[in-house]
Amino acid sequence: MSGLIESATAILSASERRLEVVSSNISNVSTPGYKRQVSFADLVANGGRDQVGALAMRVRADLAQGKVSNTGNPLDLAIGSDGFFQLRNGDDLVYSRQGQFKLAADGTVVTSQGYALQQAGGGDLVLDGSGVEILADGTVLDGERPVGRIGVFSPSDGAAVQPLDGSLFRFGGNVGEEVAEPHLRQGTIEASNVSVGDEMVTMMASLRQAETGARLVQTYDDLLGRVITAFGSGGR
């Protein structure tokens, strides 16, 4: 009967993890550039033994593009192609499609968290002012003078996109390759791709899954009670 309680525990744990993912998605429904997290179950080998393993929940990002809306802010950018903005956080590089930028005191183009937007080929993008024109290929014009080019990056072949907090990601191996033909849209932002309706459906499925696990626990408890009663009666 130990297999029954192990199965129930796995089902309840998977349901709990799915509900955590749904909660995170719904809380970021208004976060620009956020990518919906999708949970799925894998069978994990049990201690290397030749038997069915336990269900383990894993999470990946749904990279489908969110709706693009106009803001009129010259430093708001949406990516109309594959790829991510590369951002520098100290010595660390992270990636995002959230394109809401502003100028720091020294002219560096940064996110609200202070992460510096990186140029194609590397290096922070630094401007004299926000009144610039940004072309689709990322070229930044101050009047008619090019002053930089924003890089758009994708993960190298086979590298996974690992979700971090909010709309930030890391590439497997932390290596990004520059997209040859990006398509940037100035004065726009990409919204979250979360659908509240889809998340509610997932939540209801998770609750039904939890009910199944709870019924297995109840069945185990009933069977255990019968065994104890049988042994008690046989000992008289």
Side-chain angles (χ1 to χ4, degrees):
M1 289 193 298
S2 60
L4 189 63
I5 198 66
E6 289 173 359
S7 296
T9 300
I11 291 172
L12 290 171
S13 296
S15 176
E16 180 181 19
R17 180 61 179 135
R18 280 198 174 100
L19 288 173
E20 289 174 353
V21 171
V22 168
S23 176
S24 176
N25 287 339
I26 291 178
S27 66
N28 283 282
V29 69
S30 299
T31 302
Y34 178 82
K35 296 304 175 186
R36 175 177 180 252
Q37 308 299 298
V38 181
S39 59
F40 60 99
D42 277 348
L43 280 176
V44 179
N46 189 356
R49 292 171 291 179
D50 294 329
Q51 56 180 295
V52 176
L55 282 175
M57 293 307 302
R58 304 188 187 277
V59 177
R60 65 172 177 81
D62 175 6
L63 299 180
Q65 185 167 23
K67 181 180 178 180
V68 175
S69 58
N70 293 318
T71 67
N73 184 341
L75 293 184
D76 281 349
L77 299 170
I79 301 175
S81 58
D82 292 337
F84 297 79
F85 297 111
Q86 188 180 68
L87 309 173
R88 182 182 61 80
N89 177 25
D91 295 329
D92 194 19
L93 293 176
V94 294
Y95 298 87
S96 179
R97 288 179 67 94
Q98 180 174 340
Q100 289 182 307
F101 299 104
K102 62 181 180 179
L103 290 183
D106 63 355
T108 302
V109 179
V110 298
T111 66
S112 58
Q113 302 102 318
Y115 298 170
L117 177 63
Q118 298 298 285
Q119 298 192 65
D124 299 349
L125 179 63
V126 181
L127 303 175
D128 292 332
S130 60
V132 295
E133 180 183 1
I134 301 174
L135 305 182
D137 67 354
T139 300
V140 183
L141 300 177
D142 185 356
E144 297 183 355
R145 179 173 63 96
V147 293
R149 187 164 75 86
I150 298 168
V152 176
F153 298 82
S154 62
S156 57
D157 289 342
V161 178
Q162 304 164 359
L164 301 175
D165 292 336
S167 58
L168 295 177
F169 298 86
R170 191 184 305 279
F171 294 165
N174 206 28
V175 177
E177 298 179 345
E178 190 175 334
V179 174
E181 297 182 0
H183 183 71
L184 297 184
R185 298 173 59 180
Q186 185 178 18
T188 65
I189 57 171
E190 180 183 351
S192 165
N193 68 352
V194 173
S195 166
V196 175
D198 289 343
E199 299 307 316
M200 295 302 292
V201 170
T202 302
M203 183 179 69
M204 295 304 297
S206 299
L207 291 175
R208 287 194 295 271
Q209 183 183 36
E211 290 172 357
T212 300
R215 284 196 296 270
L216 284 177
V217 172
Q218 183 62 52
T219 300
Y220 174 84
D221 186 60
D222 291 343
L223 291 173
L224 187 61
R226 292 177 187 179
V227 169
I228 292 173
T229 299
F231 275 105
S233 300
R236 293 175 184 170

